[in-house]
Amino acid sequence: MKKKIFPALSPSILILFCAITLSLPAQDQHDYTWLLGSNNNNPAGYFGANYIHFNKGVPSVNFFVSPMDLWVPCVMSDEAGNLLFYTNGCKIMNAQHQLIENGDDINYGPVQQLYCDQIGIGYPAGQSQLALPSPGHEGQYYFFHIRDYGNSYNYDFLYSIIDMNANSGFGKVNEKNVGVIQDTLGLCINAVKHANGRDWWIVLGEQYNDNYYCYLLDTNGVSIVNNYYAPWLGSDQYPGIICFSPDGRKMVRSGHGAPAGFRVYDFDRCSGQISKAVDVVIPEEESYVDWACFSPNSRYLYLTNQVSRLYQYDTWASDISASVQLIGEYDGFLADYNVPTTMFTMTLAPDQRIYMSANNGVRYLHTIHRPDEPGPACDFRQHDFVMHALFPFFLPNMPNYRLYNEPGSVCDTLGVQPPIVAQWYSEPDSMAGPTTLTLTDISYFQPTYWHWSFGDGDTSLLQSPAHAFPSAGEYNVCLIACNEAGLCDTLCRTIQVIEAVGTPTLEPESAFEARLWPNPARQQAWLGHEGLASGMFVLSNMSGQPVYQRGISPTKGVDRIELGNLPGGIYFWQIRSVNGTVKNGKLLIQR
């Protein structure tokens, strides 16, 4: 192993939302914007990029024209969740989708020249890109990245510093491609907040062994703290990813190869020490393209393998391997251009759902809706989240930006006081009745008390209650969330409950008109539309899973919809134009 150290480091109701925050502003929402897609701008063919934002607790998605391919995107938002900058490992762009000053030639070298300049898809980074706010330096950010030379096992661990205070908020890269260490590194970086509530630990591992480097990012910059070693699972296993639990107390490293397995460690947020390695078995002979992600409560670990199976492990069990449950297998669904929607990377999002990509370019994300629940109760839904554009493979690598200090620990010395931010979303509960909603708390900074008022005289102290409203109408629903320090925050939303049959949450209608006939239909139906820009038609079953989709051309006034392969029953149809407006309806197929 050759090592080089660089010089000193410097579905039954319609719900409409109107959000009103009554106290503290949102904070640490650095992961609230995701950008996925490419710069091949052809909306009719679903080529372009997706701008996803979690500003209301649940994601909204819009089409946008990206100036570059985002094969492995790294995205940073400000404290309030507004986009600041993003990169594909080649260039760094600001929120106006313009190159930040000095933001070109990131990872400069032969691999960068091939993949960025010649092929143009972005740097082949895997999990080796990560952005963090600079402790104690408002508006300054570190972008950590690994440089591959393409002809050896040696890689450079680098960082670049972005100052978003420069150029009237358009940003500037003050330092670029600064070397930290060169070694036989794996393409995996992850980070976790220091127990003092301000600084960051950055962890990366070597190939084919359990040698880890643990760096500290504090107000003085980057410094190495620990070098930890333990035998790896097997000499043939190539390093996969590094994953931290949201509470920062567990770290997982997966690998590709045989024997099929991964390793769970304890992590000390005070010292950066990795300890108590536990080997965990995967129910296959070999691990292949596996990816890991923890549930919000840090108990359940989800692992994809062979791009076709999703497993759940209970990391609180005395025997983690024995706790494994098969949550789902690839269902054979084919997306546009007959591309399989298989299972690949996962990220825990601000709405406390886990989103999963495919290892093919598709417009769909799988979702785990209730990852804190054991077994099938976690509610895994395949090809559940539909976007406007295809995207290649990888979701953003996002640490838990909202992890704060560890009260009572020996290193909780800065007097950092965690705030409290109330946040929630609601969903129809069709099993309980047409006016019943499930209200899900996603407040952060360790809430310990919840008080709901539903606008109809009823209240609840449950964290995530289900509530039956007495009738259709408008209700001002408020959540008060408090922490152990007695700090509270309130979020109120006006919810309009309308007894209706249709798809979940309709977007505002636009000027275009559309209808589907005949209804009921048998072998085919006709879709008429007028005033529509290029868009997409989706037919979904009663479970909300798309069963038929096709592009809609504005040059045709009528399109034929083939129904011969679908069983009889009730279906929901939707037309989504390129600007995000929607028409919806219900279709009965008779057999």
Side-chain angles (χ1 to χ4, degrees), residues 251-469:
M251 189 187 87
V252 166
R253 185 184 185 186
S254 71
H256 311 328
F262 58 92
R263 181 162 284 171
V264 180
Y265 304 89
D266 286 350
F267 188 83
D268 189 324
R269 291 176 55 208
C270 282
S271 65
Q273 183 68 31
I274 302 166
S275 62
K276 297 182 180 178
V278 176
D279 291 345
V280 181
V281 175
I282 300 174
E284 273 100 37
E285 293 183 0
E286 184 177 8
S287 52
Y288 170 68
V289 196
D290 53 330
W291 205 273
C293 186
F294 273 93
S295 61
N297 66 3
S298 298
R299 176 172 184 173
Y300 296 108
L301 179 74
Y302 293 87
L303 185 105
T304 58
N305 193 35
Q306 307 285 347
V307 299
S308 60
R309 284 175 287 278
L310 174 66
Y311 295 102
Q312 182 196 74
Y313 292 85
D314 185 352
T315 62
W316 296 1
S318 56
D319 185 344
I320 299 176
S321 294
S323 72
V324 64
Q325 295 192 60
L326 179 63
I327 298 301
E329 294 188 81
Y330 169 52
D331 62 5
F333 180 81
L334 299 178
D336 311 287
Y337 310 109
N338 291 321
V339 176
T341 54
T342 45
M343 304 179 187
F344 191 26
T345 71
M346 292 183 286
T347 297
L348 178 61
D351 62 359
Q352 297 186 12
R353 295 182 176 109
I354 292 175
Y355 290 79
M356 181 194 301
S357 71
N359 71 325
N360 299 301
V362 300
R363 295 181 295 115
Y364 297 89
L365 295 176
H366 312 304
T367 54
I368 306 174
H369 278 247
R370 300 194 177 277
D372 283 341
E373 299 295 328
C378 71
D379 192 9
F380 174 54
R381 306 179 192 178
Q382 298 189 49
H383 39 86
D384 178 53
F385 186 73
V386 185
M387 298 177 291
H388 299 289
L390 311 174
F391 83 100
F393 318 143
F394 288 91
L395 296 175
N397 183 20
M398 299 285 197
N400 184 4
Y401 294 107
R402 289 174 289 282
L403 181 61
Y404 244 65
N405 60 324
E406 192 169 296
S409 65
V410 296
C411 57
D412 185 18
T413 59
L414 300 180
V416 174
Q417 176 63 62
I420 181 73
V421 174
Q423 185 64 279
W424 57 273
Y425 65 86
S426 62
E427 294 179 303
D429 188 342
S430 58
M431 299 299 293
T435 59
T436 297
L437 297 184
T438 298
L439 301 151
T440 300
D441 166 66
I442 53 172
S443 304
Y444 51 94
F445 300 133
Q446 292 81 48
T448 57
Y449 172 86
W450 302 266
H451 182 278
W452 294 87
S453 57
F454 302 111
D456 59 3
D458 286 348
T459 61
S460 175
L461 299 180
L462 296 177
Q463 181 178 0
S464 297
H467 182 70
F469 292 87

Side-chain angles (χ1 to χ4, degrees), residues 497-518:
V497 178
I498 303 174
E499 294 189 43
V501 177
T503 55
T505 308
L506 307 184
E507 296 183 16
E509 294 186 350
S510 66
F512 81 84
E513 298 295 332
R515 72 184 184 98
L516 189 67
W517 80 92

